[in-house]
Amino acid sequence: MAAVVMPIHSYTWVFVFTLLFAFLDGYSIGANDVANSFATSVGSRSLTLKQAVCIAFFTEFGGAIALGATTTKTVKDGIIKTYLFDDRPDLLMTGFMCALIASSTWVMTATYLGLPLSTTHSIIGALIGVGISAYGRGAVNWGWQGKGVAQIATSWILAPCLAGILAAIIYTITLFAVLKRRNSLRAGIWAVPFYFTITIFIVSFYVVSRNGRSSFTIDASSIGGGLEVSGNIGLAFGIIGAITGTVLIFSVGFLVPFFIRRLEKEESLKWYHVFCIHCLPEQPHDPKIDLYLKRAFTPQLLNDADKTELGMPVEDDEESKEEQEEREEREWRRCRNPVVRFLGHVKWLLLRTLYIDVATVQHENRGAVRAHEVAILYDNKTEYLYSLLQVVTASFASFSHGSNDVANALGPLAGVFQIWDSGTFTTNASVPYWMLVNAGLAIDVGLALYGYNIMRNLGNNITYHSPSRGFSMELGAALSVITASFLALPVSTTQCIVGATVAVGLCNCNWRAINWGMVAIAGFGWVLTLPVAGIAAGLLYALLTRGPSFTLPSGMEVG
């Protein structure tokens, strides 16, 4: 049957509701998926929550705008048979709207409960529910071929195992090549160029080949199928080689001398001195560098004498939470200008989450405390070397997420807009810039306002995090996502980072180094996602399309 062309700009209310819930879906992606990606960096104290939000604002938003796809699949991986809707594009619009409502609501609920999950699997589950509700089980691809439901279920085991193996290999190499060496600091300093070069090569290769506008791609048509390379290979590897070579020269010529002077000679240097390290005269000795690093990476080990020397309040001098709130309330009452008071309260409501010390909150969890007690600690100066590597890995992963996954998440909205604007539907829809801007802003706002809730349930809450551990986790997860995407293996970034976290924790050679209760909660969220999102979307679709209508059915007359 030929597809029916619907009058353009019909059912505007469906488009408006879809647009609103698409923003909520982006907000939930930022609060859950992106927060999960930055949880290791924040948990290891390589970044504060505020710094992570600032980085994500540029990387997620910049990646979506600069390299975001201009076209996207309206139905992720063909999970439902859209040709069944050829004669009723209005019902397909309604189905996409219901899928977004159900998916965004479930992800926000899971975020409130502290459950990390795959936002991609959530929208897929919602589309499955719409397909079943509209045309029964036959409307869904349940099998293995064509990336059906069987592959998604497999990813619940495949993704964490693959990421765990890669992360454990990376951390084991780091452990014996650097951390356990007699002079671990010197070994780590000279390992920096190697780590930086490998890391930048991996992430630049992924960004170049997987951004939404690249003509260079490497894909497998199916699991086990041969790799297909297309596009301008010379240009792609020229860009990758230029980026990698520049980083290698910079790390050998500038980073190594900077770390030798800052960490070995303990000169008082700032981060920006790395760019002029060769023309900078010898700086004064920094006697507190060990205390600064102790405060940065292992504040739980600070005693009262250390805190006094660093100018930090000791426990007896600290205000209780109630006393602090009462003092702040008295200060606000003294301000008689109502406009200033109102703006102050608005600022406090919007920005208060940015100042939460997520790592400290994670250390307060009872299960996490038991896991941290058996973790092996290494030299803070050596760990400091990996904090920069971890920030770079997290930043590039976020940029890649913005350039690739953001457009994919816009599939249902793009489908609704296509039907509303043209009256027809195709499996590949154009993505206007305003959609990318909308999604990028929503993701950043979600991370800033509510990302802390997922972060405090991950990271240190699963196992003890240090910069070297966090770097191994992030690079292992990134490698698994890259490998899986090239080989057409179904994986989720969220599941990869959890699997990598568990594997690196087990490298302590003690199963008690893992908070298994938190791991079980994460797995529970993965398994729940498909059925919960699917049932919610299917019921909502049935309610809207099969309920009473103002239009009388044929055969009925007004008496």
Side-chain angles (χ1 to χ4, degrees):
M1 181 184 293
V4 174
V5 178
M6 195 176 72
I8 63 172
H9 297 169
S10 300
Y11 300 101
T12 301
W13 69 271
V14 174
F15 170 60
V16 172
F17 268 87
T18 305
L19 182 61
L20 293 174
F21 279 94
F23 187 87
L24 179 62
D25 192 54
Y27 181 96
S28 65
I29 290 174
N32 197 298
D33 205 10
V34 179
N36 188 14
S37 299
F38 277 100
T40 52
S41 298
V42 176
S44 66
R45 300 181 186 274
S46 294
L47 288 172
T48 64
L49 178 56
K50 186 178 179 180
Q51 290 169 336
V53 170
C54 291
I55 290 174
F57 178 81
F58 291 101
T59 53
E60 289 284 341
F61 189 77
I65 298 302
L67 295 177
T70 54
T71 61
T72 185
K73 290 184 179 296
T74 50
V75 181
K76 179 68 174 173
D77 295 329
I79 197 71
I80 63 172
K81 301 169 183 175
T82 54
Y83 65 80
L84 296 173
F85 293 89
D86 281 350
D87 59 337
R88 293 299 303 273
D90 56 327
L91 293 183
L92 186 57
M93 283 182 70
T94 305
F96 282 147
M97 178 187 71
C98 294
L100 269 178
I101 293 174
S103 174
S104 58
T105 302
W106 163 239
V107 176
M108 282 305 301
T109 302
T111 304
Y112 173 77
L113 297 174
L115 297 176
L117 47 80
S118 170
T119 52
T120 301
H121 288 179
S122 180
I123 191 64
I124 288 176
L127 289 170
I128 290 172
V130 168
I132 294 175
S133 181
Y135 293 102
R137 294 180 68 255
V140 179
N141 178 9
W142 296 98
W144 184 266
Q145 298 299 321
K147 298 183 181 179
V149 177
Q151 285 195 20
I152 297 172
T154 303
S155 73
W156 298 337
I157 299 175
L158 176 66
C161 289
L162 177 62
I165 292 171
L166 292 173
I169 291 172
I170 294 169
Y171 185 66
T172 301
I173 293 173
T174 303
L175 202 62
F176 289 99
V178 177
L179 297 176
K180 288 192 174 183
R181 296 284 293 273
R182 179 175 298 178
N183 190 347
S184 63
L185 178 58
R186 174 50 66 99
I189 289 174
W190 286 107
V192 163
F194 170 78
Y195 278 113
F196 254 103
T197 304
I198 295 297
T199 301
I200 295 301
F201 174 79
I202 292 170
V203 295
S204 60
F205 183 81
Y206 184 66
V207 170
V208 169
S209 62
R210 285 290 164 182
N211 73 78
R213 301 181 192 180
S214 175
S215 61
F216 171 69
T217 57
I218 300 178
D219 283 300
S221 56
S222 61
I223 295 179
L227 291 177
E228 300 174 359
V229 182
S230 61
N232 193 331
I233 301 176
L235 176 62
F237 277 94
I239 295 173
I240 296 168
I243 295 173
T244 306
T246 302
V247 170
L248 175 60
I249 294 172
F250 178 77
S251 58
V252 172
F254 293 87
L255 283 180
V256 169
F258 174 81
F259 286 136
I260 289 175
R261 291 180 61 175
R262 177 63 180 142
L263 299 177
E264 284 193 344
K265 297 181 180 180
E266 297 185 346
E267 293 183 31
S268 182
L269 300 176
K270 302 297 183 183
W271 65 269
Y272 48 81
H273 288 148
V274 68
F275 301 104
C276 57
I277 193 67
H278 294 290
C279 57
L280 190 70
E282 185 177 350
Q283 298 296 301
H285 178 259
D286 186 358
K288 295 184 179 180
I289 185 172
D290 289 321
L291 285 178
Y292 289 144
L293 294 176
K294 191 175 183 181
R295 180 177 63 180
F297 300 130
T298 54
Q300 69 275 15
L301 302 181
L302 289 172
N303 54 39
D304 289 347
D306 293 335
K307 292 180 180 179
T308 301
E309 189 171 353
L310 289 169
M312 299 172 60
V314 296
E315 293 185 2
D316 294 338
D317 300 331
E318 291 179 349
E319 291 181 302
S320 67
K321 186 176 180 181
E322 293 77 10
E323 291 173 343
Q324 184 178 2
E325 291 177 350
E326 290 178 3
R327 179 176 57 80
E328 291 175 352
E329 183 64 26
R330 287 196 303 269
E331 291 175 356
W332 278 115
R333 285 175 180 172
R334 283 198 295 267
C335 181
R336 297 185 179 182
N337 190 322
V339 176
V340 174
R341 290 178 62 181
F342 174 76
L343 293 177
H345 282 297
V346 172
K347 178 183 176 181
W348 180 81
L349 287 172
L350 293 178
L351 302 180
R352 64 186 177 89
T353 58
L354 298 181
Y355 298 95
I356 294 175
D357 188 351
V358 175
T360 299
V361 173
Q362 292 171 338
H363 279 287
E364 294 172 353
N365 180 277
R366 185 176 300 176
V369 169
R370 289 195 294 267
H372 296 175
E373 289 175 350
V374 298
I376 302 172
L377 303 182
Y378 297 97
D379 180 46
N380 280 330
K381 287 183 177 180
T382 308
E383 292 286 359
Y384 174 77
L385 298 171
Y386 290 92
S387 60
L388 182 58
L389 282 167
Q390 192 177 7
V391 172
V392 171
T393 308
S395 300
F396 270 89
S398 177
F399 186 83
S400 177
H401 181 272
S403 64
N404 184 53
D405 293 350
V406 168
N408 290 339
L410 290 172
L413 173 61
V416 170
F417 177 72
Q418 182 188 59
I419 298 172
W420 177 80
D421 192 52
S422 65
T424 59
F425 170 77
T426 59
T427 54
N428 289 312
S430 62
V431 181
Y433 268 107
W434 64 263
M435 283 192 191
L436 295 173
V437 172
N438 176 75
L441 286 176
I443 288 173
D444 289 331
V445 172
L447 175 64
L449 299 186
Y450 208 43
Y452 73 93
N453 204 47
I454 285 293
M455 287 187 184
R456 66 184 180 185
N457 285 315
L458 292 176
N460 277 306
N461 229 1
I462 295 179
T463 190
Y464 179 76
H465 274 44
S466 62
S468 61
R469 290 178 171 93
F471 164 71
S472 302
M473 295 168 191
E474 289 182 358
L475 189 58
L479 268 174
S480 62
V481 171
I482 294 169
T483 305
S485 63
F486 288 152
L487 300 178
L489 299 173
V491 298
S492 162
T493 305
T494 301
Q495 295 162 0
C496 285
I497 195 65
V498 173
T501 302
V502 172
V504 171
L506 289 175
C507 288
N508 288 291
C509 299
N510 192 327
W511 66 271
R512 293 185 179 86
I514 306 297
N515 182 4
W516 294 106
M518 192 62 235
V519 176
I521 291 173
F524 184 63
W526 301 345
V527 175
L528 276 183
T529 296
L530 279 183
V532 171
I535 292 172
L539 290 176
L540 182 59
Y541 179 84
L543 180 66
L544 292 178
T545 59
R546 292 184 174 85
S549 172
F550 285 106
T551 303
L552 292 176
S554 58
M556 292 183 64
E557 298 180 358
V558 178

